[in-house]
Amino acid sequence: MREELLRWMRSGQVTEMVYVDRHGTFSERQVKLIKVQGEYVVAWDLNKQARRTFRIEQVLACLPINGRFRKRKAEIG
C-alpha cells in the first residue's frame, strides 16, 4: 500500500481512499495526498476541508479519481 500511496501522491491526483479507523469503522475519503512519512500518510480531506493523518496499515484501498468519474451530489427537486 505504501508504494501505491507514493505513486498517487506523486501524480498529484485526488484519490479515493478506503480506510478503517482504530474502532473498526470504515470510511471512504476523497483526499489529496501530501506526504508519506514512516507508518503514516498525511492528506487533505476534501469533504472535511482539513488535514488528516492516516496509518498506512489501515488504508484498505486507494485509487485516483478521474475528473469524469467524480461523485456528484444528487440534485433535489
Side-chain angles (χ1 to χ4, degrees):
M1 184 56 62
R2 181 182 182 82
E3 293 305 315
E4 285 182 64
L5 290 166
L6 285 167
R7 180 176 355 146
W8 303 136
M9 181 188 72
R10 289 180 187 127
S11 77
Q13 292 181 281
V14 172
T15 304
E16 178 109 34
M17 185 169 70
V18 179
Y19 183 77
V20 60
D21 69 15
R22 64 180 174 230
H23 305 292
T25 304
F26 290 85
S27 64
E28 290 182 18
R29 313 279 184 113
Q30 290 186 0
V31 298
K32 180 82 170 184
L33 300 169
I34 299 170
K35 68 180 173 178
V36 175
Q37 184 174 10
E39 299 175 20
Y40 299 93
V41 59
V42 179
W44 182 259
D45 187 316
L46 297 173
N47 295 326
K48 297 182 186 256
Q49 289 295 299
R51 184 178 162 153
R52 295 287 190 248
T53 302
F54 304 95
R55 290 185 62 90
I56 293 173
E57 68 182 21
Q58 291 174 249
V59 176
L60 303 178
C62 67
L63 287 172
I65 298 173
N66 184 326
R68 296 180 301 161
F69 299 109
R70 283 194 182 152
K71 291 182 181 177
R72 296 183 188 179
K73 293 183 180 180
E75 293 183 24
I76 300 173

